[in-house]
Amino acid sequence: MKARSLRAWSAVHTWTSLVSTLFMLLLCLTGLPLIFHHEIEHLAGDEVELPVLAAPQAARPLDELMASARARYPQRVVQYAAPDEEEPAIWHFTLTPTPAPTDDYKSIAVDARTAEVLRDAKTGEGFMYWMQRLHIDLFAGLPGMLFLGFMGLLMVVAIVSGVVLYAPFMRRLDFGTVRRERSPRLKWLDLHNLLGIVTLVWATVVGFTGVINTWADPLVKYWQYSQLSALLAPYAGQPLVPEAERAPVQKALNAALAHTPGQQVSFLAFPGTAYSSPHHVTVFLRGDTPLTSKLLKPVLVDARTATVTASPALPWYLTALLISQPLHFGDYAGMPMKILWALLDVATIVVLGSGLYLWLKRRATRTREAAVGETEDGVPALT
């Protein structure tokens, strides 16, 4: 590589890294506990425990479970209902003032066998809530999500430019070399390069899937506009179906399961919510394998008649979104993958921190670097 090209790539790597480093450090630090959020909730006593019954009991109708949840907050409406991922006998209900998207929600867990409320979750507080909001949107909603997505793109550019710079930098060194006998800056530079190339694939995957996740709201809205609008043409001009005129929810769920056999329930979205229409209960179904359990199949059920009106296939961009969400947090292969994700996360924190240290150190020690034979072209600011 010519010196001019090397300087250009070095400048791209330096400034994309510097601009995104602090935010990437924040995302790595907040993402670490989110990898183990189930385990942390269990240790903190926030996980729902299913009581042991003297005798087995069949599940109650979904309408009865929903009535128990709404009894806690009768002035609210149910936006979503979903069985627990690990214990299907527990159903979670999201209650809000209106069907519109909002951060003002209550999460109620109900025992499907007895219709008794197991937990009225504390929302908007606690350690995990702060970690999640900082990681997702910096408490700034959609603008915060899109901003973090842009930082993620800069990180991907920094990774690509770092790989370009890695080859000319390592041409005189064996892979994995850490020059411990040299200055502290050179030792950190070698460690930064080694950890950077080792975590290359992981950092790229997590960074790119994180960018995709920040586009979730716009992608869902585009899907509603581009595909659902055509399916909802027969309902044009009709208002939101009143609760008093809706068919039993259990009947709508049974219709969706009968229409798509061999599937399991992921969640239900009620009329007027972001994932449904004003006229439907939308049942999202999933498979039972590690991969298909992340791919959802929407079934639109008429809220009045409980008949299936459509079951559109999700477009490729929503499929990519659904796959990227669990991959981002290592939710595909249980605890071994979570541990691997955590170790790579810590390594990336070291890469980011050492990169910032190297840039600051370089500005103060260029004279000393020249004395030990390192030139500006030969040692990029962040390689």
Side-chain angles (χ1 to χ4, degrees):
M1 184 181 294
K2 296 181 180 180
R4 183 175 181 180
S5 299
L6 190 63
R7 282 195 295 270
W9 279 108
S10 179
V12 170
H13 184 68
T14 298
W15 292 107
T16 54
S17 299
L18 286 175
V19 171
S20 63
T21 287
L22 291 179
F23 295 100
M24 290 302 104
L25 278 172
L26 173 66
L27 293 177
C28 287
L29 290 171
T30 55
L32 193 57
L34 292 177
I35 296 173
F36 301 101
H37 68 98
H38 287 299
E39 291 74 16
I40 293 175
E41 289 174 355
H42 180 75
L43 292 174
D46 295 332
E47 192 174 39
V48 184
E49 298 289 344
L50 189 67
V52 178
L53 301 181
Q57 294 188 23
R60 302 287 184 88
L62 188 54
D63 300 82
E64 189 175 342
L65 307 183
M66 190 164 64
S68 295
R70 288 200 64 183
R72 289 291 183 102
Y73 302 97
Q75 74 281 9
R76 291 175 176 253
V77 300
V78 179
Q79 273 196 342
Y80 305 105
D84 191 87
E85 292 183 2
E86 298 181 0
E87 182 48 73
I90 299 174
W91 274 76
H92 301 276
F93 296 88
T94 302
L95 285 78
T96 55
T98 67
T102 177
D103 291 331
D104 179 12
Y105 68 93
K106 302 292 183 181
S107 180
I108 309 296
V110 179
D111 189 336
R113 305 164 303 172
T114 62
E116 294 183 359
V117 173
L118 300 177
R119 184 188 68 173
D120 184 350
K122 297 179 180 179
T123 58
E125 61 180 83
F127 173 75
M128 293 306 297
Y129 170 77
W130 282 84
M131 293 297 99
Q132 187 176 37
R133 287 300 305 271
L134 285 171
H135 191 85
I136 293 176
D137 62 7
L138 298 175
F139 289 90
L142 181 58
M145 292 177 65
L146 296 178
F147 174 78
L148 290 178
F150 179 65
M151 292 297 106
L153 283 177
L154 290 182
M155 175 187 172
V156 173
V157 174
I159 292 172
V160 172
S161 56
V163 172
V164 173
L165 293 170
Y166 181 78
F169 175 80
M170 291 296 295
R171 66 181 181 272
R172 296 189 301 270
L173 298 172
D174 294 330
F175 178 80
T177 298
V178 178
R179 291 167 289 182
R180 297 180 177 84
E181 72 283 357
R182 304 291 291 274
S183 66
R185 180 183 178 277
L186 282 179
K187 287 188 292 186
W188 275 108
L189 178 61
D190 292 339
L191 185 62
H192 176 84
N193 289 332
L194 175 61
L195 291 178
I197 207 67
V198 167
T199 59
L200 167 67
V201 174
W202 179 86
T204 304
V205 168
V206 171
F208 190 68
T209 55
V211 172
I212 295 176
N213 289 338
T214 63
W215 298 339
D217 288 350
L219 289 178
V220 170
K221 291 184 183 300
Y222 178 73
W223 172 63
Q224 291 175 324
Y225 173 78
S226 62
Q227 293 194 10
L228 288 190
S229 58
L231 298 174
L232 300 177
Y235 300 89
Q238 297 183 18
L240 177 73
V241 177
E243 291 188 28
E245 300 179 13
R246 298 176 189 175
V249 178
Q250 185 66 52
K251 186 177 179 181
L253 176 58
N254 292 341
L257 291 172
H259 185 269
T260 311
Q263 299 283 295
Q264 300 178 357
V265 182
S266 179
F267 72 96
L268 286 77
F270 290 92
T273 57
Y275 289 86
S276 189
S277 81
H279 324 288
H280 292 85
V281 174
T282 303
V283 181
F284 286 85
L285 304 176
R286 60 180 178 84
D288 56 2
T289 66
L291 177 60
T292 59
S293 65
K294 310 303 179 183
L295 301 177
L296 302 183
K297 175 71 173 177
V299 181
L300 277 67
V301 184
D302 191 294
R304 281 192 172 91
T305 64
T307 57
V308 175
T309 62
S311 182
L314 287 181
W316 66 268
Y317 50 86
L318 286 187
T319 299
L321 174 64
L322 292 171
I323 293 176
S324 69
Q325 287 177 337
L327 185 60
H328 185 71
F329 291 106
D331 283 347
Y332 273 112
M335 184 56 66
M337 190 170 182
K338 289 185 177 183
I339 294 175
L340 175 62
W341 247 233
L343 293 174
L344 291 169
D345 187 286
V346 172
T348 302
I349 291 174
V350 176
V351 172
L352 293 168
S354 60
L356 187 60
Y357 161 79
L358 290 169
W359 182 77
L360 294 172
K361 192 72 173 176
R362 184 187 182 207
R363 290 174 63 87
T365 59
R366 286 190 176 183
T367 302
R368 186 173 62 186
E369 289 175 357
V372 296
E374 303 291 342
T375 68
E376 183 173 349
D377 291 337
V379 183
L382 293 169
T383 56

